[in-house]
């Protein structure tokens, strides 16, 4: 047997849910950490740069004092960097340069370079052993121009930034510590996400696994399985729909089995009669006279009618029943049931027809409509006792449909039978004989014909008050 090849994921839904939760947690924590890190780094760098700028402004005071006194910047090295800390708190050069002032906690040693406008180094806080300055990269320094009174830039002060150049410093160690803590936080978040993901995935997949097991049971033919209602709203709704589906499948299976039993029962009786008569003729115990011939023909006609009725119901259920609509006069409809009216008179049943005078024609399939009326009237005759019995046919018009009502004053129908009255082979009285109760297909065929027209059929009844059968036929365009 050929089977369609299907592609399945190697990982289960539990693993995928867990992975998704971990990814979301790691990405969220990582993104938040990176944003926080870059904000902290930028703010910290701005703080360090401000400290360098303040430091440059204080050295600028020294340069301006020196320039005011000597009119040149030559020899600035010996004055500015004669000591490790030239600011002694006197004059412009010493204002605010106390060692306990702001910024001294960041770095106790920073290289300071003073150049002229051409870039020639005038002073350097870190001279090499030969007394000359080492080369430096301006990108690693905070730049502070020294402007004289006449708006001329007489010098440029470069203060080294400990965040640049990749050197080891308290500032870089601080940022490295932030990065390490951020990595640890991401790892902790990933571990927590793993645990939460496993718990959530197990909680989410438990109802799915239960539903999957139930589906496998149904596939094996066990229609008694049910899924418990637990979990989130979507799962409980899915469980309810699954249980409803299984109940319907079970009901359909029971109806199918009952149909097979009813068909076998209905076919067995005429076949047994035909077989018995033929065996009697073959054995010579029966004589083939006109009465015998008539009995055999009657059974064959009954058998043929049963097969035809089953075919009609089957075609209607698969939507293959053809309807030929035409305009029919109301008088023609009443004439088509004349044989039944005569049969009622013979049984002493009073037949009353009430027709709305506001319309003269009906759009319907002539043959199907006649069969609907015959089946419903025959059913009323069967369940109405002779003498003082009344059967009423009422035909009325609505804006979009014609309404037929067949009413009798028989024993009525109990409420528990009403939902099944139009089912195949259904009989209100199971003890009723085939001759009195028919095959049980008349009302099913009537429903099939009405629904094929696009109409609706229903019954209203109370025990002891008779029954009223209604059906509608759409009449749009008339």
């Amino acid at each position: 047997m050929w089977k369609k090849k299907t592609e399945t994921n190697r990982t289960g839904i539990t693993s995928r849910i867990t992975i998704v939760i971990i990814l979301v947690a790691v990405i969220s924590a990582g993104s938040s950490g990176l944003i926080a890190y870059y904000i902290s780094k930028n703010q910290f760098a701005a703080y360090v740069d401000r400290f360098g700028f303040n430091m440059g402004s204080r050295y600028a005071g020294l340069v301006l004092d020196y320039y005011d006194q000597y009119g040149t910047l030559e020899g600035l090295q010996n004055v500015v960097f004669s000591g490790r800390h030239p600011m002694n708190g006197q004059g412009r050069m010493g204002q605010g340069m106390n060692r306990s002032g702001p910024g001294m906690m960041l770095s106790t040693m920073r290289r300071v370079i003073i150049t002229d406008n051409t870039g020639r180094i005038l002073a350097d806080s870190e001279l090499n052993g030969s007394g000359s300055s080492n080369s430096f990269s301006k990108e690693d320094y905070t730049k502070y121009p020294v402007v004289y009174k006449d708006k001329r830039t007489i010098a440029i002060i470069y203060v080294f930034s400990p965040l640049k150049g990749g050197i080891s410093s308290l500032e870089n160690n601080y940022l490295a510590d932030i990065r390490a803590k951020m990595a640890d936080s991401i790892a902790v978040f990933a571990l927590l996400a793993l645990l939460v993901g496993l718990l959530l995935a197990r909680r989410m997949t438990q109802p799915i696994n239960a539903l999957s097991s139930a589906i496998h049971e149904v596939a094996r033919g066990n229609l008694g399985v049910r899924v418990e209602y637990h979990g989130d709203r979507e799962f409980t709704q899915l469980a309810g729909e699954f249980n409803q589906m299984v109940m319907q499948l079970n009901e359909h299976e029971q109806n199918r089995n009952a149909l097979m039993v009813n068909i076998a029962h209905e076919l067995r009786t005429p076949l047994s009669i035909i077989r018995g008569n033929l065996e009697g003729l073959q054995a010579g115990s029966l004589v083939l006279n006109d009465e015998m011939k008539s009995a055999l023909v009657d059974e064959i006609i009954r058998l043929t009618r049963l097969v035809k009725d089953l075919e009609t119901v089957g075609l209607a259920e698969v939507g293959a029943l053809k309807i030929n609509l035409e305009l029919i006069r109301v008088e023609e409809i009443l004439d088509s049931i004349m044989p039944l009216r005569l049969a009622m008179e013979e049984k002493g049943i009073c037949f009353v027809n009430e027709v709305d005078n506001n319309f003269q024609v009906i759009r319907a399939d002539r043959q199907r409509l006649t069969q609907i009326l015959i089946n419903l009237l025959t059913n009323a005759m069967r369940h109405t006792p002779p003498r003082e019995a009344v059967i009423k046919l009422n035909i009325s018009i609505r804006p979009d449909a014609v309404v037929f009502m067949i009413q009798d004053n028989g024993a009525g129908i109990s409420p528990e039978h009403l939902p099944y009255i139009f089912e195949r082979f259904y009989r209100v009285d199971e003890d009723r004989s085939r001759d009195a109760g028919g095959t049980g297909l008349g009302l099913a065929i009537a429903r099939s014909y009405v629904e094929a027209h696009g109409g609706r059929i229903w019954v209203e009844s109370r025990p002891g008050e008779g029954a009223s059968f209604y059906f509608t036929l759409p009449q749009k365009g008339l």
Side-chain angles (χ1 to χ4, degrees):
M1 182 179 178
W2 179 81
K3 294 184 178 180
K4 182 179 179 180
K5 184 178 179 180
T6 57
E7 296 182 358
T8 57
N9 293 322
R10 295 182 179 180
T11 58
I13 187 172
T14 302
S15 301
R16 292 199 296 274
I17 292 175
T18 304
I19 291 173
V20 168
I21 293 177
I22 292 176
L23 288 177
V24 171
V26 170
I27 292 174
S28 300
S31 301
S32 301
L34 287 175
I35 293 173
Y37 171 74
Y38 281 111
I39 292 176
S40 300
K41 180 179 179 181
N42 291 335
Q43 293 296 323
F44 191 70
Y47 173 74
V48 172
D49 287 342
R50 285 196 301 271
F51 176 78
F53 193 80
N54 292 335
M55 191 174 182
S57 67
R58 291 168 184 145
Y59 273 102
L62 174 62
V63 173
L64 290 173
D65 286 344
Y66 185 87
Y67 190 78
D68 284 340
Q69 184 176 358
Y70 298 103
T72 181
L73 295 180
E74 296 297 333
L76 189 62
Q77 174 72 38
N78 296 327
V79 176
V80 176
F81 300 116
S82 58
R84 183 62 62 183
H85 262 288
M87 287 60 173
N88 54 13
Q90 298 177 0
R92 287 183 297 180
M93 70 182 78
Q95 294 175 0
M97 291 300 295
N98 191 305
R99 291 182 61 87
S100 63
M104 295 309 297
M105 61 173 289
L106 295 177
S107 177
T108 58
M109 296 292 294
R110 287 203 189 185
R111 185 181 182 185
V112 179
I113 299 173
I114 304 174
T115 68
D116 59 13
N117 290 332
T118 63
R120 183 171 63 91
I121 297 177
L122 301 174
D124 188 350
S125 63
E126 295 182 3
L127 294 178
N128 57 25
S130 61
S132 60
S133 297
N134 294 319
S135 61
F136 72 101
S137 176
K138 295 180 180 180
E139 289 78 10
D140 295 338
Y141 288 75
T142 300
K143 179 180 177 181
Y144 186 89
V146 181
V147 181
Y148 196 58
K149 300 175 183 179
D150 55 2
K151 306 300 181 181
R152 287 184 302 112
T153 301
I154 61 175
I156 299 176
I157 301 174
Y158 294 94
V159 181
F160 180 75
S161 175
L163 296 179
K164 303 174 183 179
I167 67 171
S168 176
S169 63
L170 293 176
E171 293 82 355
N172 283 330
N173 291 338
Y174 170 75
L175 294 177
D177 188 55
I178 291 179
R179 290 194 296 267
K181 293 295 190 295
M182 183 181 68
D184 294 341
S185 300
I186 293 177
V188 171
F189 272 110
L191 181 60
L192 292 176
L194 175 62
L195 298 176
V196 174
L198 290 174
L199 293 176
L200 288 179
R202 180 172 297 181
R203 183 177 182 274
M204 293 176 64
T205 56
Q206 186 176 1
I208 297 178
N209 293 333
L211 181 61
S212 177
S213 300
I215 291 175
H216 287 301
E217 289 296 321
V218 172
R220 295 189 185 100
N222 181 13
L223 298 180
V225 65
R226 297 293 184 272
V227 179
E228 296 182 0
Y229 294 85
H230 62 82
D232 297 329
R233 177 175 57 85
E234 291 78 5
F235 290 122
T236 57
Q237 182 179 357
L238 183 61
E241 292 176 353
F242 174 81
N243 291 339
Q244 182 66 25
M245 180 194 69
V246 175
M247 291 175 60
Q248 291 178 354
L249 289 175
N250 191 28
E251 183 178 350
H252 291 330
E253 181 67 16
Q254 293 177 355
N255 291 338
R256 187 181 68 86
N257 294 334
L259 175 63
M260 298 300 294
V261 172
N262 289 327
I263 291 176
H265 174 74
E266 296 296 335
L267 293 176
R268 182 170 58 248
T269 301
L271 289 176
S272 298
I273 294 175
I274 294 174
R275 178 183 177 182
N277 289 335
L278 291 177
E279 288 178 350
L281 291 173
Q282 187 178 24
S285 58
L286 296 177
V287 179
L288 185 60
N289 51 26
D290 292 340
E291 183 179 355
M292 176 60 66
K293 293 178 183 179
S294 178
L296 291 174
V297 170
D298 289 342
E299 293 302 326
I300 292 175
I301 291 174
R302 179 177 300 182
L303 187 61
T304 303
R305 185 172 63 249
L306 175 61
V307 174
K308 184 178 180 181
D309 290 345
L310 287 173
E311 180 184 13
T312 299
V313 174
L315 289 174
E317 289 184 351
V318 299
L321 194 62
K322 295 182 179 180
I323 297 295
N324 299 316
L325 298 178
E326 59 178 306
L327 295 179
I328 310 171
R329 296 183 63 83
V330 177
E331 293 81 359
E332 296 176 343
I333 298 174
L334 297 177
D335 291 341
S336 65
I337 60 174
M338 183 59 68
L340 282 178
R341 298 173 64 178
L342 296 176
M344 293 179 193
E345 292 180 2
E346 292 179 359
K347 290 186 176 183
I349 299 175
C350 177
F351 178 76
V352 179
N353 65 77
E354 299 175 349
V355 180
D356 192 340
N357 295 325
N358 294 327
F359 70 102
Q360 301 295 327
V361 294
I362 298 174
R363 175 178 286 142
D365 185 309
R366 184 187 300 270
Q367 181 180 355
R368 309 298 188 192
L369 176 56
T370 301
Q371 190 63 50
I372 294 170
L373 293 174
I374 289 175
N375 289 1
L376 294 178
L377 290 171
T378 301
N379 180 76
M381 292 172 58
R382 187 178 295 120
H383 294 87
T384 301
R387 297 181 301 273
E388 298 183 359
V390 178
I391 296 178
K392 182 187 297 185
L393 170 62
N394 180 278
I395 306 176
S396 59
I397 186 68
R398 289 182 181 176
D400 58 349
V402 174
V403 182
F404 292 80
M405 182 193 70
I406 292 87
Q407 185 181 62
D408 63 66
N409 61 345
I413 305 171
S414 300
E416 64 270 17
H417 296 294
L418 292 177
Y420 312 102
I421 201 67
F422 294 103
E423 297 294 330
R424 295 167 298 186
F425 297 111
Y426 187 81
R427 293 189 179 91
V428 174
D429 187 0
E430 293 292 341
D431 297 330
R432 188 182 292 271
S433 65
R434 290 177 63 251
D435 291 334
T439 62
L441 291 174
L443 296 180
I445 292 174
R447 181 183 64 178
S448 300
Y449 286 166
V450 171
E451 292 178 350
H453 279 81
R456 189 171 69 95
I457 187 170
W458 70 98
V459 60
E460 297 176 359
S461 178
R462 291 183 181 179
E465 298 181 7
S468 299
F469 285 82
Y470 298 84
F471 70 93
T472 63
L473 298 180
Q475 300 293 304
K476 294 182 180 181
L478 283 182

